[in-house]
Amino acid sequence: MINDDRLKELLTRLGEFYYLPSEKKSRLTGGKIKERAFSWPMFATAVSAYSAASTNNGSLAQETWKVLMETVPENAGNGGFYPFSYIKEYPDDGFYQEISTITTNWVAQWCLNVIMCLEFIPDVLPEKGFDVLTKDT
């Protein structure tokens, strides 16, 4: 889908770089990003999946799925995508199911990243899904 070799190279390098420890990022950039936070790692899973696929980097692929799966309890709570509150806004309506700790945008972005990861690194998808959340894996 991407026909520009330079863009492919840059995306691959970004995907390899994003999840490195802060000290290594700082060293590789000559200290230019010493204090720079790499927030919202879930948003980088598509590019890290691309990078893992491009370089056949199995550990980056596993790290990518782990980051994606860890994002769910961090944002939706331990119940994942199960609704845990019911509200009734208007008398004529029934109850609405709600997960009050997440937003529509977050769910949409998470799903888009899952789609990209399934495209690039499907063979590394954890067999037990959210069981990858143990910090030992």
Side-chain angles (χ1 to χ4, degrees), residues 17 21-35:
F17 185 81
S22 298
E23 305 80 39
K24 190 167 186 177
K25 288 178 190 170
S26 181
R27 189 175 70 249
L28 290 171
T29 61
K32 293 179 182 171
I33 61 167
K34 186 175 183 180
E35 302 299 323

Side-chain angles (χ1 to χ4, degrees), residues 39-43 45 66-82 84 98-111 113 130 133:
S39 305
W40 293 95
M42 182 265 296
F43 290 101
T45 54
K66 185 176 179 191
V67 166
L68 200 53
M69 296 300 189
E70 284 176 340
T71 303
V72 174
E74 289 172 1
N75 290 276
N78 289 332
F81 294 114
Y82 294 106
F84 59 83
E98 181 180 64
I99 305 170
S100 60
T101 55
I102 61 174
T103 65
T104 302
N105 184 53
W106 180 86
V107 172
Q109 290 295 325
W110 188 84
C111 290
N113 279 278
F130 293 103
L133 300 181

Side-chain angles (χ1 to χ4, degrees), residues 48 51-53 55-65 121 123-124:
S48 64
S51 179
T55 60
N56 294 314
N57 186 335
S59 44
L60 179 58
Q62 289 175 349
E63 176 70 12
T64 299
W65 277 113
I121 52 173
D123 296 339
V124 189

